Amino acid sequence: MTKLINGKEIAQNLRNQLKAEIDSLKSKIGKVPGLAVVQVGNVAASSVYVKAKTKSAKEVGIDVIDHHLSQETSEKDLLELVYKLNNQDNVNGILVQLPLPNHINEQIILDSIHPNKDADGFHPLNVGKLSIASKNDENLLIPCTPYGCLIMLKGLDINLSGMNAIVIGRSNIVGKPMAQLLLKESCTVTVAHSKTKNLEEVCKSADIVVAAVGRPQMVKGGWIKKGAVVIDVGINRIKLNTNGEIKNKLVGDVDFIEAKKNAAAITPVPGGVGPMTIACLLRNTTIAFKNSQKN
Ligand code: NAD
């Protein structure tokens, strides 16, 4: 029987743990973590994400400091806001929602966030730490989506050590950090990408498949080895024609129905990786807060 990995439930458990931890910190030191959420412009998807992140943060007891700036905001003004937040005591985590308008260089903005307040774990210093720190380092700020995937894998009660893992996609926010995390777990990791040859064959040899491509149902059921674990990061909106009626549907990068026939465990889309990403953002903010109390 294929196990359906329930991201909603696992994320809820993580949020419950964080809430208990934040309640306890509040009663001990009278302070709670603060997360600054910065949105520039009104991209509809960004507004949805910002709303969901803000709601979840408040639910676990994190203070949210909201900055919604106009589409015309200059790079200089955004940098000034980030520098201000870097120095603001009640801000422990800073999240700048991507994408930013084209006239702003995203990397310059991400690099300007103080590494200790880097709620997304995208700062070069944190990227470097992820590659060299021990797997037991609890203080690291790790990119949220891949860390969420790792929590789901670890919850399966399988020994990751020595497993063949393929990560399809090499983005800085998902694929590369995912590969680092699996390497830390002593997996043998292959990172596949748009130029990979014989992807199907490489995929067929994997015990763990993490798909982070952004191409609807690209990974076919036949690419999945019997008994493999499949983590589908992709979120793709497709149009479906049901009896002449066009409906929008969210699908992953994996052909779920076919892959499920071979997989030992698989994440659905939606309800798999998505909820974990937000829960891990709250985790990073809480870690940043605890780290700040040690200084
Ligand atoms: P990206 O566009 O930055 O990277 C996509 C990667 O896929 C690239 O490295 C590219 O080389 C690779 N790729 C493209 N075509 C390929 C092909 N034919 N074969 C093999 N590899 C190919 O995307 P991203 O930001 O890493 O996101 C990937 C997907 O994950 C998207 O669908 C995105 O919406 C989703 N996502 C979901 C969450 C979540 O919380 N669930 C978070 C981040 C991203």
Side-chain angles (χ1 to χ4, degrees):
M1 216 356 217
T2 306
K3 180 182 169 54
L4 205 59
I5 305 173
N6 188 338
K8 276 191 194 166
E9 195 179 292
I10 303 168
Q12 182 63 56
N13 290 342
L14 177 54
R15 290 200 302 271
N16 291 346
Q17 277 172 33
L18 291 170
K19 184 167 184 342
E21 193 175 2
I22 291 168
D23 285 349
S24 148
L25 286 165
K26 191 178 178 180
S27 58
K28 271 193 211 137
I29 57 175
K31 288 194 240 174
V32 296
L35 174 67
V37 178
V38 182
Q39 184 183 355
V40 184
N42 288 303
V43 173
S46 293
S47 299
V48 172
Y49 288 132
V50 162
K51 202 171 152 200
K53 288 170 183 175
T54 302
K55 182 170 172 278
S56 291
K58 287 181 178 167
E59 276 169 9
V60 299
I62 292 174
D63 263 348
V64 177
I65 301 105
D66 179 40
H67 288 272
H68 192 171
L69 311 178
S70 78
Q71 172 78 16
E72 291 72 40
T73 303
S74 67
E75 185 175 289
K76 181 171 167 284
D77 285 352
L78 182 56
L79 273 175
E80 271 169 21
L81 173 63
V82 172
Y83 291 142
K84 194 179 113 198
L85 296 170
N86 282 343
N87 291 307
Q88 206 168 304
D89 284 343
N90 64 335
V91 171
N92 307 106
I94 302 171
L95 160 78
V96 178
Q97 183 63 45
L98 303 180
L100 291 169
N102 288 338
H103 64 273
I104 298 179
N105 182 323
E106 282 184 357
Q107 199 56 50
I108 288 180
I109 300 300
L110 295 180
D111 291 358
S112 72
I113 295 173
H114 193 290
N116 295 351
K117 296 192 177 190
D118 175 28
D120 270 325
F122 294 158
H123 190 283
L125 192 81
N126 289 321
V127 173
K129 279 185 180 173
L130 176 63
S131 86
I132 57 175
S134 101
K135 88 172 191 186
N136 299 321
D137 190 334
E138 294 282 314
N139 301 326
L140 292 183
L141 300 176
I142 301 172
C144 305
T145 301
Y147 195 71
C149 296
L150 183 70
I151 293 176
M152 294 197 289
L153 285 170
K154 284 183 147 185
L156 290 174
D157 208 20
I158 49 173
N159 185 5
L160 297 176
S161 175
M163 283 196 155
N164 283 336
I166 181 169
V167 179
I168 314 177
R170 58 175 162 183
S171 71
N172 290 340
I173 64 169
V174 189
K176 284 184 203 160
M178 186 76 243
Q180 290 290 358
L181 288 168
L182 290 167
L183 198 54
K184 272 190 205 303
E185 298 299 325
S186 302
C187 291
T188 303
V189 185
T190 302
V191 181
H193 46 78
S194 54
K195 302 285 185 282
T196 297
K197 291 188 177 128
N198 303 324
L199 180 56
E200 176 177 349
E201 291 311 312
V202 184
C203 203
K204 274 179 179 164
S205 69
D207 306 305
I208 298 170
V209 177
V210 181
V213 183
R215 287 177 179 256
Q217 300 165 324
M218 186 195 88
V219 177
K220 304 299 173 205
W223 299 15
I224 306 299
K225 183 167 96 174
K226 259 276 173 265
V229 175
V230 180
I231 306 286
D232 191 352
V233 181
I235 302 178
N236 308 288
R237 284 171 183 80
I238 59 165
K239 297 218 181 288
L240 217 62
N241 187 336
T242 324
N243 302 329
E245 199 187 338
I246 306 291
K247 286 192 175 158
N248 288 317
K249 191 175 189 292
L250 271 191
V251 296
D253 290 339
V254 177
D255 181 341
F256 178 79
I257 294 173
E258 291 303 312
K260 194 165 166 267
K261 292 178 184 163
N262 286 335
I266 186 166
T267 59
V269 176
V273 177
M276 295 303 297
T277 298
I278 297 188
C280 290
L281 170 77
L282 311 180
R283 176 184 176 273
N284 273 349
T285 306
T286 309
I287 289 174
F289 173 70
K290 289 193 292 184
N291 289 345
S292 76
Q293 299 303 304
K294 291 178 200 156
N295 299 331

